[in-house]
Amino acid sequence: MAVAAVAALLAALGGAVWLAARRFVGSGARRPPGAGEAGLMRGKTVLITGANSGLGRATAAALLRRGARVIMGCRDRARAEAAAGELRRDLRDGAPGADPGADPGGGAGELVVKELDLASLRSVRAFCRELLQEEPRLDVLINNAGVFQCPYTKTEDGFEMQFGVNHLGHFLLTNLLLGLLKSSAPSRIVVVSSKLYKYGDINFEDLNSEQSYNKSFCYSRSKLANILFTRELARRLEGTKVTVNVLHPGIVRTNLGRHIHIPLMVKPLFNLVSWAFFKTPVEGAQTTIYLASSPEVEGVSGKYFGDCKEEELLPIAMDESVARKLWDISEVMVGIVQ
């Protein structure tokens, strides 16, 4: 390797180490203010999709410590049971770096695992039937699960995987649980989107990406759909005391990026840079926790948040006619209406 190339690599590594050190020293400041109110979730039932890893797991842990009854809706039941066992052990043993929002009275909540495959409308319907039979109330629904930039595949029902899971699966889930959320009001719906929504658009002529497929664009489309869905749902829920808000968690170190190929030689540098710049799952989950539990957002609906603060949306995510059309087409696609 040329001397200049080695020097450049060392400089990059040195810079990453310096940033990592700064991040480590100042990591406490990355927890947004207002994200951890203690004891607010006692007696409340929360459903979190994709709660066995990453952001979902961090969210489940925090709300469980606040006393909530947490239902983990996960595709892989075995992995979910394993994660639930670890969460229960952490709670019992007092995991290092315990959440400052934990219930000071020690009144930890209950953890329930249920199988939910958002790539299957049949699974979503079966999950909701069981939930409605067993649960008398639902205070918070957190639409967290997602797939990211996967190769072109289709769901069980023939939808492009990212649009099918990230948007349509959650669209059906939310609609089937709206009655329970309304009867439990005041209640909340929290939708996890991404800043990458700005690179998407809703092509009604090719929602399944059969004419062309770009995995990055299709992820952005699904995240834009999350925001349009949230805004249209907020409009439809006016006066019901059920609120719905959407958020971006920032760049977080999770297994969501497992489909991204990183050359072997670059991985050490990438790992170091990601440690310096990316949020941990606990840090990334703070806005979700905030929207699910904080009294500061009681009654707030149809808004977009980042770092526990409301943020502005680009015009592409505020087109009411596109949001209504997407809603109508989604109803047909998932079989709510014929």
Side-chain angles (χ1 to χ4, degrees):
M1 185 181 292
V3 174
V6 172
L9 180 59
L10 290 174
L13 285 169
V17 169
W18 178 76
L19 285 167
R22 285 193 60 191
R23 181 192 185 288
F24 179 77
V25 171
S27 59
R30 292 176 68 89
R31 180 180 298 273
E37 296 88 352
L40 290 177
M41 301 303 289
R42 284 194 297 269
K44 295 185 182 295
T45 297
V46 181
L47 166 59
I48 307 173
T49 66
N52 62 289
S53 64
L55 292 172
R57 177 171 169 157
T59 302
L63 296 180
L64 189 64
R65 290 189 184 103
R66 287 161 172 75
R69 172 182 168 83
V70 176
I71 301 171
M72 302 170 66
C74 304
R75 180 180 58 84
D76 189 322
R77 189 178 187 94
R79 289 178 60 193
E81 292 285 5
E86 291 170 0
L87 287 170
R88 293 185 185 106
R89 284 194 296 274
D90 288 347
L91 198 66
R92 182 189 65 231
D93 299 340
D99 192 328
D103 188 340
E110 181 183 359
L111 199 56
V112 178
V113 174
K114 289 189 178 295
E115 187 173 329
L116 170 63
D117 184 356
L118 290 159
S120 164
L121 299 183
R122 174 179 49 83
S123 174
V124 174
R125 292 182 185 279
F127 171 88
C128 290
R129 279 196 302 271
E130 184 176 317
L131 192 80
L132 293 172
Q133 289 172 358
E134 297 179 356
E135 299 295 333
R137 65 181 300 111
L138 180 60
D139 299 277
V140 184
L141 166 61
I142 301 177
N143 290 337
N144 164 82
V147 290
F148 177 72
Q149 296 191 13
C150 59
Y152 187 75
T153 49
K154 288 187 175 182
T155 68
E156 178 180 286
D157 304 279
F159 307 129
E160 185 275 312
M161 185 62 70
Q162 296 187 87
F163 189 75
V165 170
N166 298 352
H167 170 60
L168 291 174
H170 282 120
F171 179 88
L172 178 60
L173 177 76
T174 304
N175 273 279
L176 293 178
L177 296 179
L178 275 181
L180 185 57
L181 285 159
K182 288 177 180 178
S183 67
S184 307
S187 54
R188 304 182 185 189
I189 301 168
V190 180
V191 179
V192 180
S193 183
S194 166
K195 273 190 173 182
L196 295 176
Y197 82 86
K198 64 184 68 176
Y199 302 111
D201 72 25
I202 307 298
N203 179 2
F204 290 107
E205 304 304 316
D206 190 27
L207 288 178
N208 274 328
S209 303
E210 292 172 332
Q211 297 173 20
S212 64
Y213 180 72
N214 178 291
K215 62 182 183 180
S216 299
F217 169 79
C218 286
Y219 178 75
S220 295
R221 170 189 285 171
S222 72
K223 295 290 103 178
L224 174 60
N226 289 157
I227 298 172
L228 293 167
F229 162 67
T230 297
R231 289 176 57 79
E232 176 62 13
L233 180 58
R235 186 184 70 80
R236 292 170 180 252
L237 288 175
E238 287 180 5
T240 64
K241 295 187 178 180
V242 180
T243 61
V244 54
N245 292 290
V246 63
L247 67 105
H248 73 83
I251 305 176
V252 185
R253 293 196 308 274
T254 71
N255 65 356
L256 195 62
R258 60 188 177 276
H259 295 295
I260 297 178
H261 174 70
I262 300 171
L264 190 61
M265 292 182 63
V266 180
K267 274 192 175 181
L269 180 57
F270 174 82
N271 291 337
L272 188 57
V273 170
S274 70
W275 188 67
F277 288 101
F278 295 4
K279 294 180 180 179
T280 66
V282 169
E283 291 167 341
Q286 293 308 304
T287 305
T288 305
I289 298 163
Y290 175 72
L291 291 175
S293 64
S294 176
E296 294 178 10
V297 288
E298 185 72 39
V300 175
S301 193
K303 305 301 182 181
Y304 173 68
F305 285 80
D307 291 329
C308 299
K309 300 185 295 293
E310 185 181 339
E311 296 186 0
E312 291 188 5
L313 285 165
L314 296 177
I316 193 175
M318 300 176 68
D319 191 320
E320 294 181 1
S321 64
V322 172
R324 285 194 296 270
K325 185 174 180 179
L326 177 63
W327 183 284
D328 292 342
I329 289 177
S330 298
E331 282 187 325
V332 175
M333 292 178 79
V334 303
I336 292 176
V337 298
Q338 300 300 319

